Amino acid sequence: MESVARVSFEPVLLLHDALTLHQWEVRISQSRGEPYFFNTESKESSWKRPEGLSEEQADALLEKAQAGKRSGKVRASHLLVKHSGSRRPSSWKEANITRSKEEAIEILRGYQAEIGTSADKFGELASEHSDCASHAQNGDLGSFGPGQMQKPFEDAAFALQVGEISDIISTDSGVHLVMRTG
């Protein structure tokens, strides 16, 4: 009698499910104030449950977003240096930004050393060098609540105490220094 080897594919499917789930997160729309699904790898967004996510996985993502929901608002300023990989590699200063992310980080490190802990110097350098339109307000972005900014930016702003300046953070927009102002 021959022995038959049984192979289970369940761990492979579970791994695929975990990878698919890992690619998606729930964000809050700035315009509608409603949750939507965002694929962190493809940058695709969808109001409906994405293909490949079970109803249970979608519910878990929604619950995670609700549990991590911050209350209240913060006010922050930033100094943004864009690079060629930024989602819009242009600014008020340069029509076509070609520097690498590493070069952008080095530029920001120089500004960081100049700023130290000085809010005045932060505003001065943001007005002169930030690749964001907020440079006209010394980098001031005004007040914002949870889900209104890109996640790494939001996490940094909410983690800071008023007057504190973050280390360099990276978002789809570029690399930033963030100063919480309120």
Side-chain angles (χ1 to χ4, degrees):
M1 183 166 192
E2 276 183 50
S3 65
V4 176
R6 296 192 186 266
V7 178
S8 171
F9 292 100
E10 189 175 324
V12 174
L13 292 175
L14 290 175
L15 177 60
H16 177 266
D17 289 349
L19 291 174
T20 300
L21 182 60
H22 178 71
Q23 294 171 354
W24 290 95
E25 63 186 32
V26 171
R27 295 186 175 178
I28 306 298
S29 163
Q30 291 183 36
S31 59
R32 293 168 62 174
E34 295 178 22
Y36 66 95
F37 295 92
F38 180 77
N39 187 307
T40 57
E41 290 185 15
S42 69
K43 310 300 183 207
E44 172 190 358
S45 60
S46 173
W47 293 109
K48 296 179 181 173
R49 178 173 50 89
E51 263 186 53
L53 277 187
S54 68
E55 221 173 297
E56 293 79 21
Q57 289 172 320
D59 289 344
L61 286 173
L62 287 165
E63 284 176 26
K64 182 179 173 186
Q66 293 293 3
K69 202 172 183 181
R70 297 177 166 107
S71 61
K73 291 187 171 202
V74 297
R75 184 173 186 141
S77 296
H78 77 137
L79 197 166
L80 169 66
V81 178
K82 291 185 174 185
H83 51 80
S84 60
S86 297
R87 69 175 168 191
R88 283 189 291 275
S90 64
S91 75
W92 66 277
K93 298 185 327 176
E94 287 178 80
N96 184 29
I97 296 172
T98 59
R99 72 178 70 90
S100 69
K101 183 176 182 179
E102 293 72 24
E103 290 169 319
I105 290 170
E106 283 308 306
I107 291 167
L108 207 50
R109 286 263 179 244
Y111 298 151
Q112 188 177 34
E114 258 188 90
I115 292 165
T117 58
S118 170
D120 290 338
K121 192 64 168 178
F122 188 101
E124 180 186 320
L125 291 180
S127 71
E128 293 173 27
H129 303 292
S130 183
D131 285 320
C132 181
S134 68
H135 78 94
Q137 293 83 35
N138 295 336
D140 184 16
L141 295 167
S143 296
F144 54 89
Q148 291 185 289
M149 298 291 179
Q150 294 175 52
K151 185 145 177 47
F153 190 97
E154 178 185 309
D155 289 347
F158 275 86
L160 295 169
Q161 297 298 313
V162 173
E164 278 187 319
I165 300 170
S166 71
D167 197 0
I168 293 172
I169 63 159
S170 179
T171 69
D172 291 343
S173 298
V175 291
H176 316 246
L177 291 176
V178 179
M179 179 174 66
R180 183 164 173 183
T181 57

PDB file of all heavy atoms in Angstrom, residues 77-79 92-93 111 114-115 118-130 134-140 165 179:
ATOM      1  N   SER A  77       3.680  73.701  12.520  1.00  0.00           N
ATOM      2  CA  SER A  77       4.393  74.279  11.390  1.00  0.00           C
ATOM      3  C   SER A  77       5.345  73.216  10.889  1.00  0.00           C
ATOM      4  O   SER A  77       5.703  72.289  11.628  1.00  0.00           O
ATOM      5  CB  SER A  77       5.190  75.505  11.838  1.00  0.00           C
ATOM      6  OG  SER A  77       4.338  76.525  12.284  1.00  0.00           O
ATOM      7  N   HIS A  78       5.778  73.351   9.644  1.00  0.00           N
ATOM      8  CA  HIS A  78       6.753  72.392   9.145  1.00  0.00           C
ATOM      9  C   HIS A  78       7.685  73.053   8.142  1.00  0.00           C
ATOM     10  O   HIS A  78       7.404  74.120   7.597  1.00  0.00           O
ATOM     11  CB  HIS A  78       6.065  71.153   8.545  1.00  0.00           C
ATOM     12  CG  HIS A  78       5.483  71.355   7.182  1.00  0.00           C
ATOM     13  ND1 HIS A  78       5.608  70.425   6.175  1.00  0.00           N
ATOM     14  CD2 HIS A  78       4.769  72.361   6.646  1.00  0.00           C
ATOM     15  CE1 HIS A  78       4.984  70.856   5.097  1.00  0.00           C
ATOM     16  NE2 HIS A  78       4.473  72.035   5.350  1.00  0.00           N
ATOM     17  N   LEU A  79       8.789  72.387   7.954  1.00  0.00           N
ATOM     18  CA  LEU A  79       9.753  72.759   6.926  1.00  0.00           C
ATOM     19  C   LEU A  79       9.889  71.522   6.055  1.00  0.00           C
ATOM     20  O   LEU A  79      10.336  70.478   6.528  1.00  0.00           O
ATOM     21  CB  LEU A  79      11.080  73.139   7.577  1.00  0.00           C
ATOM     22  CG  LEU A  79      12.072  73.936   6.738  1.00  0.00           C
ATOM     23  CD1 LEU A  79      13.159  74.528   7.631  1.00  0.00           C
ATOM     24  CD2 LEU A  79      12.657  73.223   5.590  1.00  0.00           C
ATOM     25  N   TRP A  92       7.139  76.022  -5.142  1.00  0.00           N
ATOM     26  CA  TRP A  92       7.162  77.436  -5.489  1.00  0.00           C
ATOM     27  C   TRP A  92       8.571  77.878  -5.872  1.00  0.00           C
ATOM     28  O   TRP A  92       8.744  78.859  -6.577  1.00  0.00           O
ATOM     29  CB  TRP A  92       6.618  78.279  -4.333  1.00  0.00           C
ATOM     30  CG  TRP A  92       7.479  78.233  -3.091  1.00  0.00           C
ATOM     31  CD1 TRP A  92       7.465  77.270  -2.122  1.00  0.00           C
ATOM     32  CD2 TRP A  92       8.464  79.176  -2.704  1.00  0.00           C
ATOM     33  NE1 TRP A  92       8.394  77.545  -1.148  1.00  0.00           N
ATOM     34  CE2 TRP A  92       9.030  78.727  -1.482  1.00  0.00           C
ATOM     35  CE3 TRP A  92       8.956  80.356  -3.255  1.00  0.00           C
ATOM     36  CZ2 TRP A  92      10.036  79.414  -0.814  1.00  0.00           C
ATOM     37  CZ3 TRP A  92       9.963  81.038  -2.579  1.00  0.00           C
ATOM     38  CH2 TRP A  92      10.484  80.570  -1.374  1.00  0.00           C
ATOM     39  N   LYS A  93       9.582  77.110  -5.444  1.00  0.00           N
ATOM     40  CA  LYS A  93      10.976  77.466  -5.713  1.00  0.00           C
ATOM     41  C   LYS A  93      11.541  76.785  -6.950  1.00  0.00           C
ATOM     42  O   LYS A  93      12.415  77.325  -7.607  1.00  0.00           O
ATOM     43  CB  LYS A  93      11.874  77.069  -4.523  1.00  0.00           C
ATOM     44  CG  LYS A  93      11.544  77.765  -3.238  1.00  0.00           C
ATOM     45  CD  LYS A  93      12.506  77.464  -2.105  1.00  0.00           C
ATOM     46  CE  LYS A  93      13.075  76.091  -2.116  1.00  0.00           C
ATOM     47  NZ  LYS A  93      14.054  75.836  -1.081  1.00  0.00           N
ATOM     48  N   TYR A 111      19.460  72.326   8.159  1.00  0.00           N
ATOM     49  CA  TYR A 111      18.483  73.247   8.741  1.00  0.00           C
ATOM     50  C   TYR A 111      18.231  72.905  10.206  1.00  0.00           C
ATOM     51  O   TYR A 111      18.126  73.791  11.059  1.00  0.00           O
ATOM     52  CB  TYR A 111      17.162  73.217   7.974  1.00  0.00           C
ATOM     53  CG  TYR A 111      17.241  73.635   6.526  1.00  0.00           C
ATOM     54  CD1 TYR A 111      16.355  73.119   5.588  1.00  0.00           C
ATOM     55  CD2 TYR A 111      18.204  74.546   6.079  1.00  0.00           C
ATOM     56  CE1 TYR A 111      16.407  73.498   4.257  1.00  0.00           C
ATOM     57  CE2 TYR A 111      18.265  74.926   4.742  1.00  0.00           C
ATOM     58  CZ  TYR A 111      17.367  74.392   3.844  1.00  0.00           C
ATOM     59  OH  TYR A 111      17.425  74.769   2.522  1.00  0.00           O
ATOM     60  N   GLU A 114      20.878  74.281  12.357  1.00  0.00           N
ATOM     61  CA  GLU A 114      20.731  75.737  12.472  1.00  0.00           C
ATOM     62  C   GLU A 114      19.607  76.114  13.430  1.00  0.00           C
ATOM     63  O   GLU A 114      19.719  77.081  14.182  1.00  0.00           O
ATOM     64  CB  GLU A 114      20.402  76.347  11.102  1.00  0.00           C
ATOM     65  CG  GLU A 114      21.559  77.001  10.414  1.00  0.00           C
ATOM     66  CD  GLU A 114      21.096  77.742   9.161  1.00  0.00           C
ATOM     67  OE1 GLU A 114      20.751  78.931   9.271  1.00  0.00           O
ATOM     68  OE2 GLU A 114      21.076  77.092   8.098  1.00  0.00           O
ATOM     69  N   ILE A 115      18.521  75.376  13.387  1.00  0.00           N
ATOM     70  CA  ILE A 115      17.332  75.683  14.187  1.00  0.00           C
ATOM     71  C   ILE A 115      17.558  75.409  15.661  1.00  0.00           C
ATOM     72  O   ILE A 115      17.171  76.215  16.506  1.00  0.00           O
ATOM     73  CB  ILE A 115      16.112  74.875  13.690  1.00  0.00           C
ATOM     74  CG1 ILE A 115      15.699  75.353  12.303  1.00  0.00           C
ATOM     75  CG2 ILE A 115      14.951  74.956  14.672  1.00  0.00           C
ATOM     76  CD1 ILE A 115      14.748  74.407  11.575  1.00  0.00           C
ATOM     77  N   SER A 118      15.044  76.764  18.454  1.00  0.00           N
ATOM     78  CA  SER A 118      14.510  78.110  18.252  1.00  0.00           C
ATOM     79  C   SER A 118      13.296  78.137  17.322  1.00  0.00           C
ATOM     80  O   SER A 118      13.410  77.880  16.123  1.00  0.00           O
ATOM     81  CB  SER A 118      15.593  79.032  17.684  1.00  0.00           C
ATOM     82  OG  SER A 118      15.047  80.268  17.279  1.00  0.00           O
ATOM     83  N   ALA A 119      12.143  78.519  17.869  1.00  0.00           N
ATOM     84  CA  ALA A 119      10.928  78.644  17.063  1.00  0.00           C
ATOM     85  C   ALA A 119      11.086  79.758  16.026  1.00  0.00           C
ATOM     86  O   ALA A 119      10.609  79.637  14.899  1.00  0.00           O
ATOM     87  CB  ALA A 119       9.727  78.912  17.961  1.00  0.00           C
ATOM     88  N   ASP A 120      11.763  80.830  16.403  1.00  0.00           N
ATOM     89  CA  ASP A 120      11.973  81.937  15.470  1.00  0.00           C
ATOM     90  C   ASP A 120      12.813  81.498  14.279  1.00  0.00           C
ATOM     91  O   ASP A 120      12.495  81.803  13.127  1.00  0.00           O
ATOM     92  CB  ASP A 120      12.637  83.126  16.168  1.00  0.00           C
ATOM     93  CG  ASP A 120      11.700  83.816  17.141  1.00  0.00           C
ATOM     94  OD1 ASP A 120      10.462  83.677  17.001  1.00  0.00           O
ATOM     95  OD2 ASP A 120      12.200  84.502  18.054  1.00  0.00           O
ATOM     96  N   LYS A 121      13.892  80.770  14.555  1.00  0.00           N
ATOM     97  CA  LYS A 121      14.763  80.297  13.476  1.00  0.00           C
ATOM     98  C   LYS A 121      14.012  79.291  12.600  1.00  0.00           C
ATOM     99  O   LYS A 121      14.179  79.272  11.386  1.00  0.00           O
ATOM    100  CB  LYS A 121      16.047  79.678  14.059  1.00  0.00           C
ATOM    101  CG  LYS A 121      17.112  79.418  13.038  1.00  0.00           C
ATOM    102  CD  LYS A 121      17.592  80.734  12.439  1.00  0.00           C
ATOM    103  CE  LYS A 121      18.848  80.555  11.630  1.00  0.00           C
ATOM    104  NZ  LYS A 121      19.289  81.801  11.010  1.00  0.00           N
ATOM    105  N   PHE A 122      13.182  78.448  13.223  1.00  0.00           N
ATOM    106  CA  PHE A 122      12.365  77.485  12.476  1.00  0.00           C
ATOM    107  C   PHE A 122      11.510  78.243  11.461  1.00  0.00           C
ATOM    108  O   PHE A 122      11.504  77.920  10.271  1.00  0.00           O
ATOM    109  CB  PHE A 122      11.471  76.679  13.428  1.00  0.00           C
ATOM    110  CG  PHE A 122      10.743  75.541  12.765  1.00  0.00           C
ATOM    111  CD1 PHE A 122      11.211  74.250  12.894  1.00  0.00           C
ATOM    112  CD2 PHE A 122       9.591  75.755  12.015  1.00  0.00           C
ATOM    113  CE1 PHE A 122      10.543  73.182  12.281  1.00  0.00           C
ATOM    114  CE2 PHE A 122       8.918  74.709  11.401  1.00  0.00           C
ATOM    115  CZ  PHE A 122       9.400  73.425  11.537  1.00  0.00           C
ATOM    116  N   GLY A 123      10.774  79.256  11.922  1.00  0.00           N
ATOM    117  CA  GLY A 123       9.909  80.036  11.041  1.00  0.00           C
ATOM    118  C   GLY A 123      10.680  80.742   9.945  1.00  0.00           C
ATOM    119  O   GLY A 123      10.254  80.787   8.792  1.00  0.00           O
ATOM    120  N   GLU A 124      11.848  81.281  10.312  1.00  0.00           N
ATOM    121  CA  GLU A 124      12.691  81.976   9.330  1.00  0.00           C
ATOM    122  C   GLU A 124      13.143  81.031   8.225  1.00  0.00           C
ATOM    123  O   GLU A 124      13.010  81.342   7.031  1.00  0.00           O
ATOM    124  CB  GLU A 124      13.905  82.566  10.060  1.00  0.00           C
ATOM    125  CG  GLU A 124      14.876  83.309   9.197  1.00  0.00           C
ATOM    126  CD  GLU A 124      16.117  83.717   9.981  1.00  0.00           C
ATOM    127  OE1 GLU A 124      15.992  84.132  11.147  1.00  0.00           O
ATOM    128  OE2 GLU A 124      17.228  83.602   9.409  1.00  0.00           O
ATOM    129  N   LEU A 125      13.647  79.870   8.615  1.00  0.00           N
ATOM    130  CA  LEU A 125      14.124  78.907   7.611  1.00  0.00           C
ATOM    131  C   LEU A 125      12.965  78.300   6.816  1.00  0.00           C
ATOM    132  O   LEU A 125      13.110  78.057   5.613  1.00  0.00           O
ATOM    133  CB  LEU A 125      14.966  77.812   8.266  1.00  0.00           C
ATOM    134  CG  LEU A 125      16.324  78.265   8.826  1.00  0.00           C
ATOM    135  CD1 LEU A 125      17.061  77.090   9.447  1.00  0.00           C
ATOM    136  CD2 LEU A 125      17.171  78.924   7.755  1.00  0.00           C
ATOM    137  N   ALA A 126      11.821  78.079   7.461  1.00  0.00           N
ATOM    138  CA  ALA A 126      10.656  77.558   6.729  1.00  0.00           C
ATOM    139  C   ALA A 126      10.221  78.565   5.671  1.00  0.00           C
ATOM    140  O   ALA A 126       9.897  78.187   4.544  1.00  0.00           O
ATOM    141  CB  ALA A 126       9.512  77.248   7.687  1.00  0.00           C
ATOM    142  N   SER A 127      10.230  79.847   6.013  1.00  0.00           N
ATOM    143  CA  SER A 127       9.786  80.859   5.039  1.00  0.00           C
ATOM    144  C   SER A 127      10.748  80.962   3.859  1.00  0.00           C
ATOM    145  O   SER A 127      10.333  81.216   2.738  1.00  0.00           O
ATOM    146  CB  SER A 127       9.609  82.219   5.713  1.00  0.00           C
ATOM    147  OG  SER A 127      10.858  82.770   6.063  1.00  0.00           O
ATOM    148  N   GLU A 128      12.026  80.720   4.097  1.00  0.00           N
ATOM    149  CA  GLU A 128      13.033  80.822   3.042  1.00  0.00           C
ATOM    150  C   GLU A 128      13.193  79.537   2.225  1.00  0.00           C
ATOM    151  O   GLU A 128      13.458  79.594   1.027  1.00  0.00           O
ATOM    152  CB  GLU A 128      14.400  81.162   3.640  1.00  0.00           C
ATOM    153  CG  GLU A 128      14.505  82.539   4.250  1.00  0.00           C
ATOM    154  CD  GLU A 128      15.827  82.744   4.971  1.00  0.00           C
ATOM    155  OE1 GLU A 128      16.840  82.089   4.610  1.00  0.00           O
ATOM    156  OE2 GLU A 128      15.851  83.547   5.918  1.00  0.00           O
ATOM    157  N   HIS A 129      13.061  78.384   2.888  1.00  0.00           N
ATOM    158  CA  HIS A 129      13.488  77.137   2.253  1.00  0.00           C
ATOM    159  C   HIS A 129      12.435  76.052   2.084  1.00  0.00           C
ATOM    160  O   HIS A 129      12.663  75.087   1.349  1.00  0.00           O
ATOM    161  CB  HIS A 129      14.671  76.549   3.022  1.00  0.00           C
ATOM    162  CG  HIS A 129      15.840  77.468   3.127  1.00  0.00           C
ATOM    163  ND1 HIS A 129      16.600  77.820   2.029  1.00  0.00           N
ATOM    164  CD2 HIS A 129      16.360  78.129   4.193  1.00  0.00           C
ATOM    165  CE1 HIS A 129      17.561  78.653   2.416  1.00  0.00           C
ATOM    166  NE2 HIS A 129      17.436  78.862   3.713  1.00  0.00           N
ATOM    167  N   SER A 130      11.281  76.139   2.781  1.00  0.00           N
ATOM    168  CA  SER A 130      10.298  75.058   2.693  1.00  0.00           C
ATOM    169  C   SER A 130       9.729  74.967   1.277  1.00  0.00           C
ATOM    170  O   SER A 130       9.439  75.980   0.640  1.00  0.00           O
ATOM    171  CB  SER A 130       9.162  75.274   3.686  1.00  0.00           C
ATOM    172  OG  SER A 130       8.256  74.183   3.625  1.00  0.00           O
ATOM    173  N   SER A 134       3.021  76.749   2.525  1.00  0.00           N
ATOM    174  CA  SER A 134       2.955  77.298   3.880  1.00  0.00           C
ATOM    175  C   SER A 134       4.199  78.118   4.220  1.00  0.00           C
ATOM    176  O   SER A 134       4.242  78.768   5.262  1.00  0.00           O
ATOM    177  CB  SER A 134       2.762  76.181   4.911  1.00  0.00           C
ATOM    178  OG  SER A 134       3.923  75.370   4.992  1.00  0.00           O
ATOM    179  N   HIS A 135       5.203  78.120   3.342  1.00  0.00           N
ATOM    180  CA  HIS A 135       6.398  78.936   3.593  1.00  0.00           C
ATOM    181  C   HIS A 135       6.000  80.398   3.783  1.00  0.00           C
ATOM    182  O   HIS A 135       6.639  81.127   4.537  1.00  0.00           O
ATOM    183  CB  HIS A 135       7.405  78.809   2.440  1.00  0.00           C
ATOM    184  CG  HIS A 135       7.026  79.619   1.234  1.00  0.00           C
ATOM    185  ND1 HIS A 135       7.493  80.898   1.025  1.00  0.00           N
ATOM    186  CD2 HIS A 135       6.178  79.352   0.215  1.00  0.00           C
ATOM    187  CE1 HIS A 135       6.956  81.376  -0.102  1.00  0.00           C
ATOM    188  NE2 HIS A 135       6.156  80.443  -0.608  1.00  0.00           N
ATOM    189  N   ALA A 136       4.912  80.810   3.126  1.00  0.00           N
ATOM    190  CA  ALA A 136       4.451  82.200   3.223  1.00  0.00           C
ATOM    191  C   ALA A 136       3.943  82.537   4.630  1.00  0.00           C
ATOM    192  O   ALA A 136       3.862  83.704   4.991  1.00  0.00           O
ATOM    193  CB  ALA A 136       3.358  82.460   2.193  1.00  0.00           C
ATOM    194  N   GLN A 137       3.637  81.518   5.415  1.00  0.00           N
ATOM    195  CA  GLN A 137       3.208  81.694   6.815  1.00  0.00           C
ATOM    196  C   GLN A 137       4.253  81.132   7.771  1.00  0.00           C
ATOM    197  O   GLN A 137       3.919  80.637   8.842  1.00  0.00           O
ATOM    198  CB  GLN A 137       1.865  80.993   7.070  1.00  0.00           C
ATOM    199  CG  GLN A 137       0.680  81.594   6.347  1.00  0.00           C
ATOM    200  CD  GLN A 137       0.574  81.098   4.907  1.00  0.00           C
ATOM    201  OE1 GLN A 137       0.878  79.948   4.598  1.00  0.00           O
ATOM    202  NE2 GLN A 137       0.161  81.988   4.020  1.00  0.00           N
ATOM    203  N   ASN A 138       5.514  81.185   7.388  1.00  0.00           N
ATOM    204  CA  ASN A 138       6.610  80.632   8.205  1.00  0.00           C
ATOM    205  C   ASN A 138       6.422  79.146   8.496  1.00  0.00           C
ATOM    206  O   ASN A 138       6.839  78.657   9.538  1.00  0.00           O
ATOM    207  CB  ASN A 138       6.780  81.408   9.509  1.00  0.00           C
ATOM    208  CG  ASN A 138       7.229  82.835   9.278  1.00  0.00           C
ATOM    209  OD1 ASN A 138       7.830  83.141   8.251  1.00  0.00           O
ATOM    210  ND2 ASN A 138       6.938  83.711  10.219  1.00  0.00           N
ATOM    211  N   GLY A 139       5.772  78.451   7.583  1.00  0.00           N
ATOM    212  CA  GLY A 139       5.565  77.008   7.729  1.00  0.00           C
ATOM    213  C   GLY A 139       4.311  76.636   8.479  1.00  0.00           C
ATOM    214  O   GLY A 139       4.015  75.450   8.646  1.00  0.00           O
ATOM    215  N   ASP A 140       3.537  77.611   8.939  1.00  0.00           N
ATOM    216  CA  ASP A 140       2.346  77.334   9.740  1.00  0.00           C
ATOM    217  C   ASP A 140       1.268  76.661   8.899  1.00  0.00           C
ATOM    218  O   ASP A 140       0.842  77.184   7.875  1.00  0.00           O
ATOM    219  CB  ASP A 140       1.798  78.631  10.332  1.00  0.00           C
ATOM    220  CG  ASP A 140       0.607  78.416  11.259  1.00  0.00           C
ATOM    221  OD1 ASP A 140       0.376  77.269  11.698  1.00  0.00           O
ATOM    222  OD2 ASP A 140      -0.092  79.407  11.543  1.00  0.00           O
ATOM    223  N   ILE A 165      10.220  70.262  18.505  1.00  0.00           N
ATOM    224  CA  ILE A 165      10.479  70.051  17.080  1.00  0.00           C
ATOM    225  C   ILE A 165      10.848  68.587  16.879  1.00  0.00           C
ATOM    226  O   ILE A 165      11.672  68.045  17.610  1.00  0.00           O
ATOM    227  CB  ILE A 165      11.616  70.973  16.591  1.00  0.00           C
ATOM    228  CG1 ILE A 165      11.224  72.442  16.809  1.00  0.00           C
ATOM    229  CG2 ILE A 165      11.934  70.705  15.119  1.00  0.00           C
ATOM    230  CD1 ILE A 165      12.351  73.440  16.589  1.00  0.00           C
ATOM    231  N   MET A 179       7.137  71.268  13.867  1.00  0.00           N
ATOM    232  CA  MET A 179       7.128  71.945  15.169  1.00  0.00           C
ATOM    233  C   MET A 179       5.675  72.109  15.590  1.00  0.00           C
ATOM    234  O   MET A 179       4.867  72.699  14.871  1.00  0.00           O
ATOM    235  CB  MET A 179       7.793  73.312  15.085  1.00  0.00           C
ATOM    236  CG  MET A 179       7.782  74.048  16.431  1.00  0.00           C
ATOM    237  SD  MET A 179       8.706  75.608  16.415  1.00  0.00           S
ATOM    238  CE  MET A 179       7.706  76.568  15.277  1.00  0.00           C
TER     239      MET A 179
END
